[in-house]
Amino acid sequence: MQDLVQLAPPLSNGQVAPESGPLVDTLDRIHDNLRISVTDRCNIRCFYCMPEQGGEFTPVSKILTFGEIMRFLSVAISLGIRKVRLTGGEPLLRPALPDLITQISETPGLTDVALTTNAVLLARMAKPLYAAGLRRLNIHLDTLDRERFRQITRRDDLARVLTGIEAALDAGFRSIKLNAVAIRGVTEADVVPLARFARDRNIEIRYIEFMPLDAQHLWSRERVLLADEMIETLSAEFGPLKAVPDPDPRAPATEYDYADGRGRVGFIASVSRPFCLNCNRLRLTADGKLRYCLFAREETDLRALLASEASETELERAIRSTVWKKWAGHQINSPSFAAPNRPMYSIGG
Ligand code: SF4
């Protein structure tokens, strides 16, 4: 894995974006993976993402309509986007979401459609999502301890999340991954129980290093539970983990098999093992801003273009020039790091 402790700022130095070919940036990274946030609202309040009270939410009138999302997507697919992940806030709060998923699942050119959810509403939504054509779910779950769940999310919804996971398995979802944010001083005691929970259900779990994306700026390096530490903990419990050769070096998680072959575990080590030089991801926020990076400090407002009669060429140019401006990667490890101008819930995972 590249060692990228210090990463340089934007690189385009005045060159103009190519007018044809794949969606590349100045490092020749090809972008084919799109995250679409369908709402910035959420029904829980994770302290490393949202303030307990308040929070700035986009007026509903400024949230992209399904028609605008599909218009953007058809141009993006023509530029090479092949994978789509729906995110939030909490996407299951978006009314009629299965209708959008049906439209996306039936859109030619896509090879993968997935959704990230906190599963609080999944018990009710699993069947309609599956019927709409969705087959891949990432479920956000940091702990199996009711009190710690309440401490982290400021909601007493663990039971609903667990029921939601069972409902997804019953509905037929076979590609389910758990995403657990790992925070020193909070979730160390959850690493092994979550791994056991996932193994028992033949689900892959990915531990995500705590990133500076929270609305209250509580992040510090000392609070990052590192991938290497969790690998040590799991190896002590289940035997030495075996690294899996990277099927796709652009995928954010590094994966390991358990010694007994029962399941796989992944680590998204954005802080200790940045993977930006292989990044193929773009993000469309719920209010129509295109971002070339989770931590970007600039974005392109596409909502006006999408709401107007702008031509496909104009949209294409806007997408290409956004990607062309992409920096080498986040700067979490550099003294000049500055948190993005939006908290996580208004960017989307
Ligand atoms: S931090 Fe930005 S550049 Fe790096 S992998 Fe994530 S989205 Fe890509």
Side-chain angles (χ1 to χ4, degrees):
M1 184 65 66
Q2 305 101 340
D3 181 12
L4 299 161
V5 175
Q6 303 260 0
L7 294 161
L11 303 160
S12 59
N13 56 29
Q15 296 163 324
V16 289
E19 295 259 324
S20 60
L23 209 44
V24 291
D25 61 28
T26 54
L27 296 178
D28 286 332
R29 292 172 293 191
I30 295 177
H31 292 71
D32 64 357
N33 191 317
L34 173 67
R35 311 284 170 100
I36 301 177
S37 168
V38 295
T39 181
D40 55 1
R41 273 96 174 139
C42 191
N43 46 6
I44 59 177
R45 290 285 178 276
C46 302
F47 74 82
Y48 51 75
C49 176
M50 269 204 175
E52 182 162 7
Q53 307 297 338
E56 285 169 40
F57 299 105
T58 306
V60 173
S61 61
K62 292 210 162 91
I63 298 265
L64 291 185
T65 65
F66 288 174
E68 289 162 346
I69 291 173
M70 292 310 295
R71 186 151 181 250
F72 172 82
L73 190 53
S74 76
V75 176
I77 290 170
S78 74
L79 297 175
I81 291 292
R82 293 291 169 265
K83 298 182 174 190
V84 166
R85 173 176 298 284
L86 298 177
T87 68
E90 169 49 40
L92 301 192
L93 286 172
R94 179 78 191 247
L97 184 69
D99 299 349
L100 176 66
I101 290 172
T102 302
Q103 292 181 52
I104 294 176
S105 308
E106 291 171 356
T107 303
L110 291 177
T111 59
D112 185 44
V113 180
L115 177 136
T116 301
T117 173
N118 62 31
V120 169
L121 298 175
L122 196 52
R124 177 164 59 80
M125 295 290 291
K127 284 206 170 85
L129 294 172
Y130 195 85
L134 189 70
R135 292 294 177 268
R136 287 215 312 119
L137 281 176
N138 282 50
I139 295 174
H140 167 212
L141 179 63
D142 304 329
T143 178
L144 293 167
D145 177 273
R146 182 178 177 186
E147 196 35 50
R148 218 165 14 262
F149 185 97
R150 207 194 332 238
Q151 179 202 343
I152 294 170
T153 67
R154 295 113 160 199
R155 297 288 184 277
D156 188 13
D157 285 325
L158 177 61
R160 294 174 75 186
V161 171
L162 299 177
T163 310
I165 294 171
E166 301 309 326
L169 290 165
D170 293 347
F173 284 97
R174 289 296 162 266
S175 176
I176 298 177
K177 292 183 177 162
L178 291 184
N179 285 358
V181 176
I183 303 174
R184 191 184 307 288
V186 181
T187 63
E188 285 95 330
D190 298 298
V191 173
V192 170
L194 282 169
R196 211 176 287 294
F197 176 88
R199 278 160 55 93
D200 292 348
R201 286 160 185 75
N202 196 20
I203 292 176
E204 180 181 335
I205 184 162
R206 292 112 61 84
Y207 299 92
I208 303 173
E209 289 183 345
F210 182 24
M211 292 182 277
L213 286 164
D214 57 302
Q216 301 128 115
H217 306 298
L218 302 170
W219 184 88
S220 69
R221 191 168 302 288
E222 295 66 40
R223 302 189 77 183
V224 178
L225 191 54
L226 301 172
D228 288 344
E229 294 171 279
M230 293 184 274
I231 291 167
E232 227 174 277
T233 304
L234 293 173
S235 296
E237 183 73 22
F238 300 106
L241 296 183
K242 290 181 284 183
V244 176
D246 253 347
D248 178 359
R250 301 168 314 156
T254 43
E255 298 186 323
Y256 294 75
D257 284 332
Y258 290 100
D260 62 4
R262 261 190 71 212
R264 187 163 283 186
V265 55
F267 300 88
I268 299 180
S270 308
V271 178
S272 64
R273 305 180 189 176
F275 36 84
C276 301
L277 285 185
N278 286 320
C279 184
N280 61 339
R281 288 171 292 284
L282 280 180
R283 287 176 166 81
L284 182 69
T285 66
D287 59 346
K289 307 292 192 311
L290 188 63
R291 300 174 59 86
Y292 55 60
C293 173
L294 191 53
F295 293 90
R297 296 188 52 71
E298 59 182 341
E299 51 196 24
T300 306
D301 184 354
L302 294 180
R303 202 173 77 82
L305 279 179
L306 289 167
S308 76
E309 296 313 308
S311 69
E312 297 222 347
T313 310
E314 284 172 283
L315 275 169
E316 201 179 298
R317 277 213 192 96
I319 298 170
R320 284 188 182 283
S321 66
T322 304
V323 174
W324 193 246
K325 281 189 288 186
K326 184 164 182 161
W327 58 12
H330 69 61
Q331 301 175 20
I332 297 173
N333 298 313
S334 106
S336 64
F337 173 73
N341 45 10
R342 283 175 181 255
M344 182 69 160
Y345 68 89
S346 83
I347 300 172

